[in-house]
Amino acid sequence: MVLVANRYQIIQLGLCFFTSQSPDTYTAHPFNVYLFPEDRPGAAGDLSLSLDGMSFHRSQQVDFNKWIYQGVPYLNGRQEQILRSRIDEEFPREEQEVLSLTAEETKRTDVTLSGIKSWWQSGAREEYVIQNFNPYLRKYMYQQLGRLYPALNIECKSNGKYSKSLILTMLTAESQKCLKDAKTKKQLNVIQRKSGAQKVFKLLTRLRPVIVGHGVVSDLLFLYSSFQEDLPPSLHLFKEKLHCLFPAIYDTMTISADLNLKELLNAGRSLKSVYKLLSREGRMEGTRVDLGEQGKHWSKECYHEAGYDSYVTGSSWC
Protein backbone atom coordinates (compact mmCIF):
# COMPACT_ATOMS: atom_id res chain seq x y z
CA MET A 1 0.00 0.00 0.00
CA VAL A 2 2.95 2.31 0.65
CA LEU A 3 4.07 1.90 -2.96
CA VAL A 4 0.57 2.76 -4.16
CA ALA A 5 0.38 5.89 -1.99
CA ASN A 6 3.79 7.02 -3.25
CA ARG A 7 3.01 6.36 -6.91
CA TYR A 8 -0.59 7.48 -7.35
CA GLN A 9 -2.44 10.70 -6.53
CA ILE A 10 -5.74 11.41 -4.81
CA ILE A 11 -8.63 12.10 -7.20
CA GLN A 12 -11.31 12.96 -4.62
CA LEU A 13 -11.02 14.14 -1.04
CA GLY A 14 -14.07 13.42 1.07
CA LEU A 15 -14.53 15.10 4.45
CA CYS A 16 -17.58 15.21 6.69
CA PHE A 17 -17.68 17.29 9.84
CA PHE A 18 -20.22 16.37 12.52
CA THR A 19 -21.51 18.95 14.97
CA SER A 20 -23.46 17.88 18.05
CA GLN A 21 -26.83 19.58 18.53
CA SER A 22 -27.73 17.41 21.55
CA PRO A 23 -26.38 14.14 23.01
CA ASP A 24 -28.26 12.12 20.35
CA THR A 25 -28.54 14.60 17.47
CA TYR A 26 -25.84 15.56 15.00
CA THR A 27 -25.63 17.69 11.88
CA ALA A 28 -23.38 16.34 9.13
CA HIS A 29 -21.48 18.70 6.83
CA PRO A 30 -20.03 16.58 3.98
CA PHE A 31 -17.68 17.91 1.30
CA ASN A 32 -16.43 16.28 -1.87
CA VAL A 33 -13.37 17.94 -3.43
CA TYR A 34 -11.61 16.97 -6.66
CA LEU A 35 -7.82 17.27 -6.41
CA PHE A 36 -5.38 17.76 -9.27
CA PRO A 37 -1.73 18.61 -8.49
CA GLU A 38 0.26 21.25 -10.31
CA ASP A 39 4.02 20.97 -10.87
CA ARG A 40 5.58 20.27 -7.49
CA PRO A 41 9.26 20.47 -6.53
CA GLY A 42 10.73 17.18 -5.40
CA ALA A 43 7.84 15.19 -6.87
CA ALA A 44 7.65 13.09 -10.02
CA GLY A 45 6.41 15.07 -12.99
CA ASP A 46 4.29 12.19 -14.24
CA LEU A 47 0.65 11.51 -13.44
CA SER A 48 0.27 7.74 -13.02
CA LEU A 49 -3.05 6.08 -13.76
CA SER A 50 -4.16 2.52 -13.12
CA LEU A 51 -6.42 1.03 -15.81
CA ASP A 52 -8.34 -0.99 -13.23
CA GLY A 53 -8.68 2.05 -11.01
CA MET A 54 -9.82 4.34 -13.80
CA SER A 55 -12.31 1.75 -15.05
CA PHE A 56 -13.77 1.59 -11.55
CA HIS A 57 -13.98 5.38 -11.32
CA ARG A 58 -15.69 5.50 -14.71
CA SER A 59 -18.26 2.95 -13.55
CA GLN A 60 -18.98 5.23 -10.59
CA GLN A 61 -19.58 8.25 -12.87
CA VAL A 62 -16.54 10.17 -11.66
CA ASP A 63 -16.47 13.55 -13.42
CA PHE A 64 -13.05 13.44 -15.10
CA ASN A 65 -13.54 16.85 -16.71
CA LYS A 66 -14.11 18.39 -13.28
CA TRP A 67 -11.09 16.52 -11.92
CA ILE A 68 -8.72 17.84 -14.59
CA TYR A 69 -10.10 21.34 -15.16
CA GLN A 70 -11.35 22.26 -11.68
CA GLY A 71 -9.29 20.01 -9.41
CA VAL A 72 -7.79 21.83 -6.43
CA PRO A 73 -3.96 21.70 -6.34
CA TYR A 74 -1.99 20.64 -3.28
CA LEU A 75 1.52 20.29 -1.85
CA ASN A 76 2.94 18.39 1.06
CA GLY A 77 4.99 20.14 3.73
CA ARG A 78 8.37 19.27 2.22
CA GLN A 79 7.39 20.56 -1.20
CA GLU A 80 6.11 23.80 0.32
CA GLN A 81 9.42 24.28 2.18
CA ILE A 82 11.37 23.87 -1.07
CA LEU A 83 9.26 26.55 -2.75
CA ARG A 84 9.63 28.92 0.20
CA SER A 85 13.39 28.40 0.30
CA ARG A 86 13.58 29.64 -3.28
CA ILE A 87 11.89 32.97 -2.60
CA ASP A 88 15.16 34.75 -1.79
CA GLU A 89 17.05 33.21 -4.68
CA GLU A 90 17.63 35.74 -7.43
CA PHE A 91 17.61 32.96 -10.01
CA PRO A 92 15.85 29.60 -9.64
CA ARG A 93 18.04 26.51 -9.42
CA GLU A 94 16.79 25.14 -12.68
CA GLU A 95 18.29 28.21 -14.41
CA GLN A 96 21.74 27.69 -12.86
CA GLU A 97 22.75 24.69 -14.92
CA VAL A 98 26.01 25.05 -16.82
CA LEU A 99 25.30 25.89 -20.45
CA SER A 100 27.91 25.05 -23.06
CA LEU A 101 28.34 27.21 -26.19
CA THR A 102 29.93 26.66 -29.55
CA ALA A 103 32.95 28.78 -30.50
CA GLU A 104 30.75 30.98 -32.67
CA GLU A 105 28.17 31.41 -29.92
CA THR A 106 30.88 32.23 -27.39
CA LYS A 107 32.31 34.91 -29.66
CA ARG A 108 28.87 36.43 -30.18
CA THR A 109 27.95 36.50 -26.49
CA ASP A 110 31.38 37.88 -25.50
CA VAL A 111 30.88 40.79 -27.90
CA THR A 112 27.42 41.42 -26.44
CA LEU A 113 28.70 41.24 -22.83
CA SER A 114 31.48 43.68 -23.70
CA GLY A 115 28.93 46.12 -25.08
CA ILE A 116 26.80 45.75 -21.95
CA LYS A 117 29.85 46.41 -19.76
CA SER A 118 30.54 49.69 -21.56
CA TRP A 119 26.87 50.64 -21.30
CA TRP A 120 26.85 49.82 -17.59
CA GLN A 121 30.01 51.79 -16.83
CA SER A 122 28.68 54.83 -18.66
CA GLY A 123 25.74 54.98 -16.26
CA ALA A 124 23.34 55.37 -19.18
CA ARG A 125 19.68 55.72 -18.31
CA GLU A 126 18.32 54.39 -21.59
CA GLU A 127 17.49 50.71 -22.09
CA TYR A 128 19.94 48.25 -23.58
CA VAL A 129 18.30 45.87 -26.05
CA ILE A 130 19.61 42.42 -27.00
CA GLN A 131 18.02 41.15 -30.20
CA ASN A 132 18.14 38.09 -32.44
CA PHE A 133 19.21 35.62 -29.73
CA ASN A 134 17.57 32.20 -29.73
CA PRO A 135 16.00 30.88 -26.47
CA TYR A 136 19.16 28.98 -25.52
CA LEU A 137 21.38 32.06 -25.84
CA ARG A 138 18.81 34.22 -24.04
CA LYS A 139 18.94 31.81 -21.12
CA TYR A 140 22.73 31.94 -21.14
CA MET A 141 22.70 35.74 -21.14
CA TYR A 142 20.11 35.77 -18.37
CA GLN A 143 22.44 33.67 -16.22
CA GLN A 144 25.55 35.71 -16.93
CA LEU A 145 23.90 39.09 -16.47
CA GLY A 146 22.24 38.02 -13.23
CA ARG A 147 25.63 36.98 -11.87
CA LEU A 148 27.56 40.04 -13.10
CA TYR A 149 24.97 42.77 -12.52
CA PRO A 150 22.61 42.10 -9.57
CA ALA A 151 21.16 45.61 -9.92
CA LEU A 152 20.09 44.96 -13.50
CA ASN A 153 16.47 44.42 -14.44
CA ILE A 154 16.04 41.95 -17.30
CA GLU A 155 12.76 41.58 -19.16
CA CYS A 156 11.93 39.42 -22.14
CA LYS A 157 9.78 41.23 -24.70
CA SER A 158 8.05 39.65 -27.67
CA ASN A 159 8.69 41.25 -31.05
CA GLY A 160 6.28 39.06 -32.93
CA LYS A 161 5.34 35.43 -33.23
CA TYR A 162 8.87 34.01 -33.36
CA SER A 163 11.12 36.84 -32.12
CA LYS A 164 11.97 38.05 -28.61
CA SER A 165 14.35 40.62 -27.18
CA LEU A 166 16.00 41.06 -23.79
CA ILE A 167 15.45 44.56 -22.40
CA LEU A 168 18.04 45.71 -19.81
CA THR A 169 17.53 48.63 -17.45
CA MET A 170 19.61 49.87 -14.51
CA LEU A 171 17.84 49.91 -11.16
CA THR A 172 18.17 52.38 -8.34
CA ALA A 173 18.28 51.02 -4.77
CA GLU A 174 14.62 51.92 -4.35
CA SER A 175 13.69 50.25 -7.64
CA GLN A 176 15.60 47.12 -6.65
CA LYS A 177 13.65 46.89 -3.40
CA CYS A 178 10.31 47.42 -5.16
CA LEU A 179 11.17 44.79 -7.76
CA LYS A 180 12.26 42.28 -5.12
CA ASP A 181 9.09 42.90 -3.09
CA ALA A 182 6.97 42.41 -6.20
CA LYS A 183 8.75 39.15 -7.05
CA THR A 184 8.40 37.90 -3.47
CA LYS A 185 4.68 38.69 -3.46
CA LYS A 186 4.25 36.90 -6.78
CA GLN A 187 6.10 33.81 -5.52
CA LEU A 188 4.07 33.76 -2.30
CA ASN A 189 0.87 33.93 -4.33
CA VAL A 190 2.06 30.96 -6.38
CA ILE A 191 2.76 29.00 -3.19
CA GLN A 192 -0.66 29.93 -1.84
CA ARG A 193 -2.33 28.67 -5.02
CA LYS A 194 -0.31 25.48 -5.24
CA SER A 195 -0.85 24.68 -1.56
CA GLY A 196 -4.60 24.50 -2.16
CA ALA A 197 -6.12 21.60 -0.24
CA GLN A 198 -3.09 21.38 2.06
CA LYS A 199 -4.55 24.35 3.95
CA VAL A 200 -7.47 22.16 5.04
CA PHE A 201 -5.08 19.46 6.24
CA LYS A 202 -3.07 22.03 8.22
CA LEU A 203 -6.28 23.27 9.86
CA LEU A 204 -7.19 19.71 10.84
CA THR A 205 -3.77 19.14 12.42
CA ARG A 206 -4.29 22.28 14.51
CA LEU A 207 -7.83 21.30 15.56
CA ARG A 208 -6.82 17.63 16.17
CA PRO A 209 -10.38 16.26 15.79
CA VAL A 210 -11.42 12.63 16.20
CA ILE A 211 -10.74 10.94 12.84
CA VAL A 212 -13.11 8.17 11.71
CA GLY A 213 -12.63 6.15 8.53
CA HIS A 214 -13.53 2.82 6.99
CA GLY A 215 -10.44 0.81 6.12
CA VAL A 216 -8.74 4.00 7.14
CA VAL A 217 -5.09 2.93 6.92
CA SER A 218 -4.88 3.36 3.15
CA ASP A 219 -6.62 6.75 3.37
CA LEU A 220 -4.16 7.92 6.02
CA LEU A 221 -1.18 6.83 3.92
CA PHE A 222 -2.44 8.92 0.99
CA LEU A 223 -3.29 11.91 3.20
CA TYR A 224 0.09 11.89 4.96
CA SER A 225 2.06 11.51 1.73
CA SER A 226 0.03 14.14 -0.14
CA PHE A 227 -0.24 16.82 2.53
CA GLN A 228 2.36 16.27 5.26
CA GLU A 229 5.62 14.76 3.94
CA ASP A 230 7.05 11.70 2.22
CA LEU A 231 6.09 8.48 3.97
CA PRO A 232 8.51 7.39 6.73
CA PRO A 233 10.64 4.27 6.10
CA SER A 234 8.85 2.11 8.69
CA LEU A 235 5.27 1.48 9.81
CA HIS A 236 6.23 2.14 13.43
CA LEU A 237 7.60 5.59 12.61
CA PHE A 238 4.57 6.36 10.42
CA LYS A 239 2.16 5.53 13.25
CA GLU A 240 4.21 7.55 15.70
CA LYS A 241 4.21 10.65 13.49
CA LEU A 242 0.57 10.23 12.51
CA HIS A 243 -0.64 10.05 16.10
CA CYS A 244 1.25 13.24 16.89
CA LEU A 245 -1.01 14.90 14.32
CA PHE A 246 -4.24 13.03 15.12
CA PRO A 247 -4.25 11.34 18.55
CA ALA A 248 -7.72 9.76 18.14
CA ILE A 249 -8.30 7.60 15.04
CA TYR A 250 -11.04 4.98 14.68
CA ASP A 251 -11.70 2.47 11.91
CA THR A 252 -15.32 1.36 11.44
CA MET A 253 -14.15 -1.69 9.47
CA THR A 254 -12.12 -2.92 12.43
CA ILE A 255 -14.87 -2.04 14.90
CA SER A 256 -17.46 -3.93 12.81
CA ALA A 257 -15.28 -7.06 13.11
CA ASP A 258 -15.22 -6.66 16.88
CA LEU A 259 -19.04 -6.44 16.92
CA ASN A 260 -19.03 -10.05 15.72
CA LEU A 261 -22.09 -9.61 13.54
CA LYS A 262 -22.74 -12.88 11.72
CA GLU A 263 -24.35 -11.13 8.77
CA LEU A 264 -21.08 -9.42 7.97
CA LEU A 265 -19.42 -12.79 7.42
CA ASN A 266 -21.61 -13.22 4.35
CA ALA A 267 -22.11 -9.63 3.27
CA GLY A 268 -18.51 -8.61 3.83
CA ARG A 269 -17.34 -5.60 5.78
CA SER A 270 -17.77 -3.00 3.03
CA LEU A 271 -18.94 0.42 4.11
CA LYS A 272 -22.33 -0.12 2.49
CA SER A 273 -22.83 -3.47 4.25
CA VAL A 274 -21.84 -2.13 7.66
CA TYR A 275 -24.03 0.97 7.38
CA LYS A 276 -27.11 -0.93 6.18
CA LEU A 277 -26.71 -3.65 8.78
CA LEU A 278 -26.36 -1.19 11.64
CA SER A 279 -29.41 0.71 10.39
CA ARG A 280 -31.48 -2.44 9.99
CA GLU A 281 -30.61 -3.88 13.39
CA GLY A 282 -31.51 -0.67 15.13
CA ARG A 283 -28.02 -0.17 16.49
CA MET A 284 -28.27 3.45 15.35
CA GLU A 285 -31.76 3.84 16.86
CA GLY A 286 -32.04 6.91 19.05
CA THR A 287 -29.28 8.71 17.17
CA ARG A 288 -30.31 11.29 14.60
CA VAL A 289 -28.00 12.64 11.91
CA ASP A 290 -29.25 15.54 9.78
CA LEU A 291 -27.54 16.68 6.60
CA GLY A 292 -26.38 20.28 6.42
CA GLU A 293 -27.52 22.44 3.52
CA GLN A 294 -24.49 21.71 1.31
CA GLY A 295 -25.08 17.95 1.68
CA LYS A 296 -28.76 17.78 0.71
CA HIS A 297 -27.98 16.23 -2.69
CA TRP A 298 -26.54 13.22 -0.82
CA SER A 299 -29.96 12.26 0.54
CA LYS A 300 -29.77 9.48 -2.09
CA GLU A 301 -27.09 6.80 -2.09
CA CYS A 302 -23.82 7.83 -3.78
CA TYR A 303 -21.42 5.15 -2.55
CA HIS A 304 -17.80 5.52 -3.70
CA GLU A 305 -18.12 9.28 -3.98
CA ALA A 306 -15.66 10.44 -1.36
CA GLY A 307 -17.92 13.02 0.26
CA TYR A 308 -20.85 10.60 0.59
CA ASP A 309 -18.63 7.83 1.91
CA SER A 310 -17.31 10.16 4.60
CA TYR A 311 -20.90 11.02 5.58
CA VAL A 312 -21.94 7.36 5.82
CA THR A 313 -18.78 6.44 7.74
CA GLY A 314 -19.37 9.19 10.30
CA SER A 315 -23.04 8.27 10.61
CA SER A 316 -22.10 4.66 11.32
CA TRP A 317 -19.78 5.87 14.05
CA CYS A 318 -22.44 8.10 15.61
Side-chain angles (χ1 to χ4, degrees):
M1 196 65 212
V2 172
L3 294 176
V4 173
N6 280 330
R7 180 178 180 184
Y8 298 105
Q9 291 77 37
I10 301 174
I11 290 181
Q12 286 182 344
L13 174 65
L15 295 171
C16 189
F17 303 93
F18 288 79
T19 55
S20 176
Q21 307 303 321
S22 69
D24 297 320
T25 305
Y26 299 87
T27 300
H29 308 274
F31 298 89
N32 189 73
V33 183
Y34 282 91
L35 302 181
F36 195 88
E38 296 185 5
D39 291 339
R40 298 167 294 169
D46 298 328
L47 182 66
S48 299
L49 301 175
S50 162
L51 286 177
D52 287 343
M54 296 304 285
S55 295
F56 173 78
H57 290 313
R58 184 176 62 181
S59 70
Q60 301 301 316
Q61 286 82 51
V62 167
D63 190 338
F64 292 113
N65 279 328
K66 190 172 184 178
W67 170 51
I68 293 174
Y69 290 105
Q70 300 178 30
V72 178
Y74 59 91
L75 299 169
N76 68 26
R78 182 181 65 86
Q79 293 157 356
E80 182 186 2
Q81 287 177 358
I82 292 174
L83 285 178
R84 290 190 180 278
S85 71
R86 294 179 180 177
I87 288 178
D88 293 328
E89 294 181 7
E90 290 296 328
F91 300 96
R93 290 174 189 163
E94 58 265 25
E95 295 183 357
Q96 295 179 350
E97 62 183 293
V98 178
L99 301 178
S100 58
L101 303 181
T102 64
E104 184 180 346
E105 288 173 334
T106 300
K107 181 179 179 180
R108 186 180 177 192
T109 54
D110 284 348
V111 169
T112 303
L113 287 170
S114 178
I116 293 171
K117 183 178 180 181
S118 300
W119 168 77
W120 180 266
Q121 291 175 342
S122 71
R125 291 175 175 249
E126 67 273 10
E127 298 175 339
Y128 191 99
V129 181
I130 303 174
Q131 294 179 320
N132 303 320
F133 272 28
N134 62 36
Y136 187 82
L137 290 181
R138 288 200 301 269
K139 184 173 183 178
Y140 176 82
M141 293 299 296
Y142 197 89
Q143 286 184 348
Q144 298 302 311
L145 293 172
R147 179 177 58 83
L148 294 170
Y149 307 104
L152 188 65
N153 183 46
I154 310 168
E155 295 182 11
C156 190
K157 181 180 179 181
S158 176
N159 302 323
K161 190 172 182 180
Y162 300 107
S163 176
K164 291 185 178 180
S165 299
L166 290 180
I167 311 298
L168 314 182
T169 52
M170 296 183 187
L171 296 175
T172 63
E174 184 179 354
S175 297
Q176 289 181 59
K177 184 179 183 303
C178 289
L179 182 63
K180 184 176 181 179
D181 290 345
K183 287 183 177 179
T184 299
K185 183 178 180 180
K186 183 178 179 180
Q187 288 172 307
L188 287 172
N189 287 338
V190 169
I191 294 173
Q192 279 286 95
R193 189 190 73 247
K194 288 191 173 187
S195 296
Q198 185 205 28
K199 299 170 194 172
V200 177
F201 184 82
K202 284 183 175 181
L203 178 61
L204 291 176
T205 59
R206 290 200 297 271
L207 296 175
R208 295 159 71 86
V210 173
I211 300 295
V212 180
H214 191 80
V216 74
V217 174
S218 60
D219 294 331
L220 293 173
L221 287 170
F222 272 101
L223 289 174
Y224 191 94
S225 174
S226 299
F227 302 127
Q228 182 65 14
E229 62 181 1
D230 297 341
L231 290 171
S234 68
L235 177 61
H236 173 75
L237 186 56
F238 168 69
K239 292 168 69 175
E240 185 178 295
K241 289 190 171 189
L242 182 66
H243 281 285
C244 287
L245 300 174
F246 305 113
I249 302 174
Y250 296 91
D251 188 344
T252 53
M253 180 181 286
T254 302
I255 294 172
S256 67
D258 292 339
L259 291 177
N260 199 26
L261 299 173
K262 293 182 180 180
E263 290 86 344
L264 290 179
L265 296 176
N266 297 323
R269 285 186 289 142
S270 69
L271 176 59
K272 184 176 182 178
S273 300
V274 170
Y275 181 69
K276 288 196 169 184
L277 184 60
L278 291 175
S279 301
R280 188 171 66 249
E281 288 210 346
R283 291 175 181 262
M284 296 166 63
E285 188 175 345
T287 299
R288 176 180 169 182
V289 178
D290 298 322
L291 273 170
E293 282 301 319
Q294 75 280 0
K296 293 298 185 182
H297 68 282
W298 279 311
S299 56
K300 295 182 180 180
E301 290 186 356
C302 299
Y303 285 102
H304 301 301
E305 185 172 84
Y308 182 79
D309 284 353
S310 66
Y311 158 65
V312 173
T313 300
S315 297
S316 300
W317 168 256
C318 293

